[in-house]
Amino acid sequence: MTRIMGVLNVTPDSFSDGGRWASTDAAIAHGLELAQQGADIVDVGGESTRPGAERVPVPAELGRVLPVVRELAAAGIRVSIDTMNSETAAAALDAGAQIVNDVSGGLADPAMGPLVAERDVDYVAMHWRGHSRTMNDLARYTDAAREIREELFRRVDELERQGVARRRIIVDPGLGFAKNSEHNWDVLRHLREFESAGLPMLLGASRKRFLADLMWVGATPQDRDLPSAVIAALAARDGVWGVRVHDVVSTRIALDVVRSWSGSGDDDRMEP
């Protein structure tokens, strides 16, 4: 079954929701709502990774995410912490998070791999070439899907050398990170090759900029929820472990369609 990871950006500068959940109370309420809508995991992040975004100091990141993680975990929700900083990851795990979702795959902070190994927690390692400020300049490939796959699995090998158990690693091809539209679609066409190593895969296509090419002039990031849900359904048919999305409701319906189509049952269908 493909899991739904609901996005909770506790930031004032998110590209996807314009800082709607920047306050602690609003973020907690939205996290509870995501879970009620059917999110299996709520992914809490305090630093925007949109193209051009500047880094956030760790104390500011901690102030944004820790109260939210603590309250959601206390409510019985499975929480992941979206961070590149080992200090933030450690504090969030202490507050009840169960997964570390690191868009840098351990490259931004050399202490991240050893921390995850010590804590023995699930770890999402994403393909990454550089920080948001410079990543668009790094979107250069000859054979995008192959090169991204090779770079990602070299990171997996390094994480294992640092002591991270292979059974704890979830890979993410990093759509939109140091990739243009052509590169993103090439990755999606070759998803099964990313799964050939036998590791679970998280896919984050939701509201990404490359989907704007499919939309009308003036469409908002929220208008990209329909193609995001279609991609989630196609990815589920390819067997991905999870999809990271902003709109849980449309994704839940899309995945219910996939389950019904495949005959895998509908016992966990969302109630109207």
Side-chain angles (χ1 to χ4, degrees):
M1 181 185 75
T2 297
R3 296 151 185 80
I4 295 177
M5 177 183 281
V7 177
L8 180 51
N9 294 315
V10 194
T11 60
D13 56 347
S14 168
F15 83 93
S16 62
D17 50 36
R20 291 178 65 191
W21 323 118
S23 76
T24 298
D25 288 345
I28 292 169
H30 187 54
L32 294 170
E33 180 184 34
L34 291 172
Q36 189 277 329
Q37 291 172 343
D40 302 291
I41 303 159
V42 174
D43 190 43
V44 180
E47 179 176 12
S48 175
T49 52
R50 62 178 172 77
E54 295 294 332
R55 298 302 312 277
V56 173
V58 170
E61 184 185 26
L62 288 169
R64 292 173 180 179
V65 301
L66 286 187
V68 180
V69 170
R70 192 173 294 113
E71 289 297 320
L72 296 182
I77 295 171
R78 191 178 188 197
V79 176
S80 60
I81 178 64
D82 176 5
T83 185
M84 293 179 276
N85 297 308
S86 60
E87 183 179 345
T88 301
L93 292 171
D94 291 341
Q98 299 178 41
I99 302 171
V100 176
N101 180 16
D102 180 0
V103 300
S104 80
L107 286 168
D109 184 346
M112 184 68 87
L115 169 74
V116 174
E118 177 188 354
R119 297 296 188 96
D120 192 29
V121 293
D122 290 338
Y123 179 65
V124 180
M126 196 191 79
H127 174 266
W128 188 82
R129 281 186 165 184
H131 288 289
S132 297
R133 183 168 45 83
T134 60
M135 68 181 179
N136 285 345
D137 297 331
L138 303 173
R140 297 186 298 271
Y141 305 92
T142 301
D143 182 345
R146 178 185 59 79
E147 293 171 47
I148 292 163
R149 187 173 65 253
E150 290 175 354
E151 290 174 19
L152 179 58
F153 284 100
R154 280 200 293 272
R155 284 306 304 156
V156 170
D157 292 342
E158 176 58 28
L159 289 165
E160 288 191 274
R161 281 192 288 271
Q162 293 176 7
V164 180
R166 190 176 182 85
R167 62 183 173 83
R168 289 297 198 179
I169 299 174
I170 301 158
V171 295
D172 180 343
L175 297 177
F177 287 79
K179 299 167 189 69
N180 63 28
S181 293
E182 177 186 349
H183 305 144
N184 292 323
W185 289 115
D186 192 44
V187 167
L188 290 171
R189 284 191 292 269
H190 293 86
L191 275 189
R192 295 197 178 194
E193 295 170 25
F194 281 83
E195 296 175 307
S196 62
L199 291 173
M201 182 169 65
L202 177 70
L203 190 70
S206 180
R207 297 184 181 176
K208 290 288 175 69
R209 185 172 51 178
F210 77 102
L211 298 178
D213 297 340
L214 306 175
M215 311 302 291
W216 57 91
V217 175
T220 67
Q222 290 80 4
D223 290 326
R224 302 170 197 168
D225 286 337
L226 176 56
S228 299
V230 173
I231 289 175
L234 294 171
R237 292 196 72 180
D238 274 351
V240 300
W241 174 87
V243 288
R244 183 180 183 274
V245 302
H246 299 84
D247 185 0
V248 169
V249 173
S250 64
T251 305
R252 180 86 274 160
I253 294 169
L255 297 189
D256 283 345
V257 169
V258 172
R259 279 193 290 273
S260 296
W261 191 308
S262 65
S264 59
D266 58 359
D267 292 341
D268 57 350
R269 188 184 312 166
M270 186 176 68
E271 293 298 325

